[in-house]
Amino acid sequence: MRSTAGTASQVVVDRVSVAAPAGVCFDLVRRVESAPQFFASHLHAEVRADAGRAEGADTVERWVLQPDGEVRHWAARRAVDMAGRTVAFAHEGGVPAVVSTRGRWSFVETAEGVTEVRLEHALTFAEDAGEEDRAAVLAGVERGGSVQLGQLREVAEAWPGLVARTVRVRVRAVVSGARAVPVFERLLGAAEVYGAGWARAVVDDRAIALKRVGGLDGRLEAATARFDVAETPEGAEVVLSAAVTVADGGPAPAVVERWLRAGAVRALRRAAGTQAVVGA
C-alpha cells in the first residue's frame, strides 16, 4: 500500500506484513554491513561513526546494484532507536530535482507474531524541478520502496535457514617487505583480470568488496568477498574474508567450508602475488 501527500515535502509511504519477529526485521535493516550477503541489490555498506552526534547516530555509506548493472554509491546520516525499533535516515541530492530525502523505518509486531513494517520517504524538491521530473522521482521511490520491502519480507521469513546455510572463512597473508599501496594496486589489477561476474566496490583505497552477480554455482544462493590491506612492520598484510550462502538442499556447510577455504587461499595467493598464507 502506498500514499503520497503534497506538503512542503512530498511523502511516499510503503507498508508490508512480514511473518517474522519484529526484532529480526529491525536487525536486518539496521545491520547494514550484513545486507550484501542476503539482499540481492546490496553490494557493500560501511558504517562511519559521527563525532559529536547523539548515541545511535552515524553515517552509512552504501554501494547498491542498479537494474542495469551499474553501481550507485551514496552516504546517508541515520539515527537508530533500539528501544522504539525505528531507523531514521537523511541524505542530500542524489538526482538534480531533489534537494534532500528524509525517511523512517518502523516495525510493530502484532499479537499473532506478524510484523507490520512501514517505510516512509519525504522528498524536498528543487524550486525549479518540473512536474515531469517530480513524477519520475516519485515513481522511482515507489518502485524502490516496493522492492526493498519485498526483499525484506523474503529474507526475514527465511532467516533461520539462511543463517544456518551461510558459511564464512577468513585467510591472511603478509607480503614481506612490501608497502600497502602497491599491493592494493595489484589487488585492483587482479580484480580487473579475474573479476568477471563480480560487482566491485572500492573502499577508502584500503579495501575491495566483491559480490557475485553472474554465473553463480547453482548450489549457492549468494557469494561475497572482501580484501583488506594494511601495513605492518613485516610488510603489507592482506586479509581475504569470503562468505557463501548454500542453496536449500545443497551441500552440507562443513563440506562447503572446506572448499571455500581452499578457494580463498588460492585467490589470496594469486591476487596478492605471494605463496605465504599465514592462516585464519
Side-chain angles (χ1 to χ4, degrees):
M1 175 181 178
R2 301 188 191 93
S3 63
T4 59
T7 61
S9 293
Q10 288 193 266
V11 178
V12 180
V13 177
D14 286 90
R15 297 180 177 87
V16 70
S17 298
V18 182
V24 169
C25 299
F26 176 56
D27 285 347
L28 283 170
V29 170
R30 74 179 181 88
R31 292 178 176 169
V32 293
E33 304 97 317
S34 63
Q37 190 64 36
F38 304 106
F39 292 87
S41 61
H42 288 249
L43 171 57
H44 185 62
E46 292 274 323
V47 177
R48 316 284 193 181
D50 289 348
R53 293 186 66 196
E55 182 179 355
D58 53 31
T59 294
V60 174
E61 195 170 357
R62 291 181 181 271
W63 289 257
V64 173
L65 297 166
Q66 300 292 92
D68 60 4
E70 294 297 314
V71 176
R72 182 184 171 210
H73 172 219
W74 78 95
R77 301 181 305 278
R78 70 170 186 174
V80 178
D81 180 353
M82 296 295 294
R85 286 182 176 154
T86 63
V87 180
F89 58 89
H91 60 88
E92 297 179 356
V95 294
V98 179
V99 175
S100 64
T101 302
R102 297 180 179 276
R104 186 174 182 269
W105 290 87
S106 62
F107 310 83
V108 177
E109 188 170 335
T110 69
E112 293 76 25
V114 173
T115 299
E116 301 297 336
V117 183
R118 182 180 188 274
L119 172 59
E120 176 183 308
H121 287 87
L123 298 98
T124 300
F125 288 95
E127 290 185 4
D128 59 353
E131 289 302 318
E132 288 188 6
D133 291 336
R134 292 172 183 250
V137 170
L138 290 171
V141 171
E142 290 175 354
R143 287 193 302 270
S146 178
V147 169
Q148 281 183 287
L149 292 180
Q151 289 184 355
L152 175 62
R153 178 170 57 191
E154 181 179 358
V155 172
E157 293 182 350
W159 185 240
L162 289 173
V163 172
R165 301 196 310 272
T166 297
V167 179
R168 303 177 188 275
V169 301
R170 181 179 182 274
V171 293
R172 171 181 175 269
V174 175
V175 185
S176 181
R179 302 297 299 272
V181 170
V183 170
F184 185 75
E185 291 174 348
R186 178 184 175 86
L187 288 174
L188 285 174
E192 291 284 353
V193 173
Y194 302 111
W198 293 82
R200 183 181 70 190
V202 178
V203 185
D204 296 340
D205 292 331
R206 62 174 173 78
I208 305 171
L210 301 159
K211 181 169 184 170
R212 190 73 181 181
V213 293
L216 188 64
D217 188 317
R219 297 168 297 178
L220 305 177
E221 290 185 359
T224 61
R226 173 174 173 143
F227 286 95
D228 285 277
V229 182
E231 288 200 4
T232 73
E234 294 78 26
E237 178 190 62
V238 184
V239 176
L240 170 56
S241 307
V244 297
T245 301
V246 182
D248 195 13
V255 173
V256 174
E257 195 275 340
R258 287 195 294 271
W259 64 252
L260 180 61
R261 184 171 299 280
V265 169
R266 290 194 300 270
L268 182 56
R269 285 175 172 165
R270 182 173 60 186
T274 178
Q275 292 299 306
V277 174
V278 178

